[in-house]
Amino acid sequence: MSPHVGSRVRSSRRSILKVVVIGAGIVGVTTAYEFAERGHQVILIDKREGAGLETSYANGGQLGAGEVAPWAGPEVPWLALKWMGRADGPFRLRLKADPEQWIWLLRFLMRCRASAREERVLPNLGLALLTQSRMDEIAAKLTSEGAPLAFDERRDGIMQIFHYERSLKEAAHGAETMRRAGLEQRVLTAAECVEVEPALASSVQRGEIVGGLYCASDRSGDAHVFTRELAARAERLGVRFVTGAEVERFETQGDRITGVRTNGWLFGGDAVVLAAGIGSAKLARQLGLRIPVYPLKGYSVTVPAGEGVAPKVSLTDEARKIVVSRFGDRMRVAGTAEVSGYDTTLEMPRAKSVLDGLLSLLPQLSAGAGEAQFWTGLRPMSSDGSPLIGQAGRYRNLYLNTGHGSLGWTLGAGSAAALADAVCGETPRLDLTPFNIKRFSFI
Ligand SMILES: Cc1cc2nc3c(=O)[nH]c(=O)nc-3n(C[C@H](O)[C@H](O)[C@H](O)COP(=O)(O)OP(=O)(O)OC[C@H]3O[C@@H](n4cnc5c(N)ncnc54)[C@H](O)[C@@H]3O)c2cc1C
C-alpha cells in the first residue's frame, strides 16, 4: 500500500490502486464500476445480501436534470406548518431526542432561502448532465460488448404539472436559469400537456392542471435493476463484491485509514470511498467527521400499468408532491418526506396517501390498485440539497460519495465518474469544489 493515495496517484498515474467502496447502492456500485473500468482493484462491501436493496430499491425512477433544485426553499417552513399533524400530509416531522436530528434541521432551515436554493441548482445540473452522458457511455460500451443493460429506461422526458398559475409562473422563471445553462424546458398550456401526454386528458378536463414544464431530454428507469445489473458487470470486470458484511469500524495510522473492519473481515486499500447512504454519517463520525446527512423517509407504490392507459412521460405533480414513472408494464408513484430518524416502518395510511395521489391524478390506473406493492425508503439527505463528493477530513485516503438525498439516481453515475477522475488524477470532467465537505462551515 502507498503511504498517501494522493501523492501516489500524482507520481504514477498508471499504478494500480486498491479501492475499498463501502455501500452497494446506486452510488457505491457506479463508483466501484468506474474504478474497475480504469483497471483498479476494487472491493465493494455491503451489509445486505445484494446490490441496491436499500434506498436505491424502489425510488421514483426519475433521471431529471430539470428538477435538481434543493428541497429547502422559502416556502418550506410554511408548508411544513400547514401539513403538521396531518396523517396523510406529504411532509411530517417527528422530533426525536437526537442532537443529530436537531442540528440537521437547523442547517436545513438555514437553507430555506431563495438565494441558497439557487446557489445549488447549477452545480447539481452539471452533475445530472454528467450522469446522463456517463450512463450513455456505459450503455454503449456494454451494448458493443454484446450485453446491453436493460433497466426499463424511458426517454420520453419528464413533465412537471401545476395546479396553480403562480406555481407555473415561478417554474417558468426557474426554467430560464436552466435554459441559460443549456437545458431546454418548454412551458406548456394545459392543452399542450395533453398533447405531450394524452394520459393527462381527464385531469385537464376536470380543470385541475393549469399548465406544465416539459424537459424532453429527461429520462426515467428502474434504479434497482440498473444497480443490480451494473454490480454484476462490475464483478465481471474484477470487482470483489462482499455481501452480508457490515462495516463496523476503521483502523488508522497517522493520516491514513489502514483497514476497514466488518463483522469478521478486515479489508485494506489505498483509497476508501464512503458511499453508504444513510449509514454514512455514523461511519464518518468514527473518523472524526460530522457530515450533515440525515434520513428523509419516503414512500413508493408500484401498480400494473394496464393496457394503453398509463402515461409514457414521467410526471411530477407539484401540488400532490408525487412523481410518477413507468417501467415497462409497471407504474411507480413516489412521494412524502418525513424527518423521523432511521425508522423504516411502513405505515399503511401514509403509503396509501401516495397511492391515492396517483389514482386521483390518473384514475384510469384504478383497476390495478389491488395489486399495489408498497415500499418505504430513507433518502440520505444533505442539508443543502447537494451531495458530498471528494476527499474529506484528516485521513487523506478517505473519500466521500454520499448525501444524494432525493437525487441519487439523477446524480449517481456522474458523481462516481467525477470522483474516480479526481482520485485517479485524471482530467476532471467536472469541478468537484461545490461538492466538497468544506462548504459546510461548522462541522
Ligand atoms: C420514495 C423515494 C423516491 C425517490 N425518487 C427518486 C427519483 O425519482 N430520482 C432520484 O434521482 N432519486 C430518487 N430518490 C433518491 C434515491 O433513491 C437515493 O438518493 C439513492 O438511492 C441513494 O443511493 P445510495 O447509494 O447513496 O444509498 P443506498 O441505495 O441506500 O445504498 C447505500 C448502501 O450502503 C449499505 N450500507 C450502509 N451502511 C453500511 C455499513 N455500515 N456497512 C456495509 N454496508 C452499509 C446499505 O446496505 C446500502 O446498500 C428517491 C428516494 C426515495 C426514498
Side-chain angles (χ1 to χ4, degrees):
M1 273 187 255
S2 63
H4 305 301
V5 64
S7 55
R8 173 182 165 147
V9 169
R10 272 191 294 278
S11 63
S12 169
R13 288 186 179 189
R14 283 171 179 268
S15 58
I16 294 175
L17 295 172
K18 199 168 167 188
V19 184
V20 181
V21 179
I22 305 171
I26 178 61
V27 177
V29 166
T30 47
T31 303
Y33 180 86
E34 290 292 344
F35 282 104
E37 210 197 29
R38 287 165 173 76
H40 300 294
Q41 287 177 19
V42 184
I43 300 171
L44 175 63
I45 306 174
D46 202 287
K47 62 182 180 179
R48 295 293 304 265
E49 61 280 20
L53 295 176
E54 290 282 321
T55 314
S56 305
Y57 186 68
N59 71 21
Q62 290 191 331
L63 286 152
E67 295 182 37
V68 291
W71 281 5
E75 75 289 0
V76 171
W78 307 113
L79 290 175
L81 281 175
K82 182 177 135 189
W83 288 319
M84 195 81 80
R86 265 182 57 181
D88 61 346
F91 175 79
R92 185 156 78 171
L93 170 62
R94 278 195 169 163
L95 279 175
K96 304 255 163 193
D98 176 8
E100 188 195 354
Q101 187 196 50
W102 305 340
I103 292 170
W104 185 89
L105 272 172
L106 183 66
R107 286 177 176 283
F108 182 82
L109 281 172
M110 284 165 60
R111 301 291 305 181
C112 287
R113 292 173 283 121
S115 58
R117 179 180 269 165
E118 262 166 42
E119 182 191 297
R120 288 281 124 202
V121 170
L122 292 185
N124 285 358
L125 175 62
L127 210 45
L129 294 175
L130 177 58
T131 295
Q132 293 186 356
S133 66
R134 192 57 196 131
M135 286 177 76
D136 288 347
E137 285 166 11
I138 293 171
K141 181 168 183 285
L142 296 176
T143 304
S144 74
E145 289 167 358
L149 207 154
F151 57 100
D152 283 328
E153 187 190 28
R154 290 205 87 90
R155 293 183 174 223
D156 297 293
I158 299 181
M159 190 197 299
Q160 297 175 57
I161 53 174
F162 300 94
H163 297 220
Y164 307 104
E165 288 291 351
R166 192 170 153 226
S167 324
L168 179 61
K169 260 192 199 140
E170 279 169 12
H173 177 72
E176 271 308 311
T177 310
M178 303 300 248
R179 200 166 292 135
R180 283 196 295 274
L183 187 80
E184 278 306 319
Q185 287 175 300
R186 236 177 92 204
V187 179
L188 305 176
T189 61
E192 286 168 337
C193 288
V194 181
E195 272 168 35
V196 175
E197 180 44 77
L200 291 173
S202 72
S203 214
V204 168
Q205 271 160 20
R206 288 195 306 272
E208 268 185 9
I209 298 175
V210 298
L213 190 64
Y214 179 54
C215 184
S217 57
D218 273 345
R219 313 149 181 203
S220 59
D222 189 328
H224 170 239
V225 176
F226 180 92
T227 306
R228 189 189 65 204
E229 292 303 308
L230 194 69
R233 310 303 164 90
E235 280 190 279
R236 270 181 242 158
L237 278 178
V239 170
R240 183 175 161 210
F241 185 13
V242 187
T243 54
E246 176 157 8
V247 174
E248 288 168 347
R249 58 194 174 83
F250 300 92
E251 299 197 352
T252 61
Q253 210 171 30
D255 61 2
R256 298 188 61 237
I257 298 173
T258 50
V260 174
R261 195 171 276 285
T262 69
N263 38 348
W265 298 86
L266 179 65
F267 301 96
D270 300 303
V272 175
V273 182
L274 194 50
I278 55 138
S280 302
K282 187 176 159 202
L283 290 172
R285 262 199 308 276
Q286 289 192 36
L287 296 163
L289 206 57
R290 289 197 173 274
I291 60 171
V293 174
Y294 193 76
L296 214 72
K297 190 171 176 178
Y299 283 85
S300 79
V301 188
T302 309
V303 297
E307 289 292 321
V309 292
K312 293 187 174 74
V313 172
S314 180
L315 303 168
T316 299
D317 186 327
E318 281 300 317
R320 293 188 174 93
K321 302 284 175 209
I322 54 170
V323 300
V324 180
S325 297
R326 180 171 182 169
F327 307 141
D329 57 3
R330 298 169 294 148
M331 287 304 300
R332 167 91 38 87
V333 57
T336 78
E338 196 171 314
V339 187
S340 56
Y342 290 78
D343 172 36
T344 52
T345 309
L346 196 147
E347 290 179 45
M348 218 20 126
R350 292 192 67 71
K352 282 210 170 114
S353 74
V354 174
L355 176 61
D356 290 346
L358 175 74
L359 299 183
S360 63
L361 174 67
L362 300 163
Q364 64 268 42
L365 293 174
S366 301
E371 292 171 56
Q373 290 179 322
F374 300 95
W375 174 81
T376 182
L378 302 174
R379 305 173 183 93
M381 204 78 173
S382 73
S383 49
D384 70 357
S386 286
L388 291 86
I389 312 169
Q391 196 281 327
R394 66 186 172 100
Y395 298 104
R396 295 183 59 187
N397 60 342
L398 172 66
Y399 297 87
L400 299 178
N401 197 1
T402 191
H404 292 71
S406 58
L407 296 170
W409 181 215
T410 302
L411 307 182
S415 307
L419 180 68
D421 286 348
V423 177
C424 300
E426 290 172 8
T427 312
R429 270 171 255 225
L430 191 83
D431 176 19
L432 281 180
T433 315
F435 304 102
N436 196 287
I437 191 170
K438 288 182 186 141
R439 70 184 191 267
F440 297 101
S441 50
F442 63 101
I443 302 279

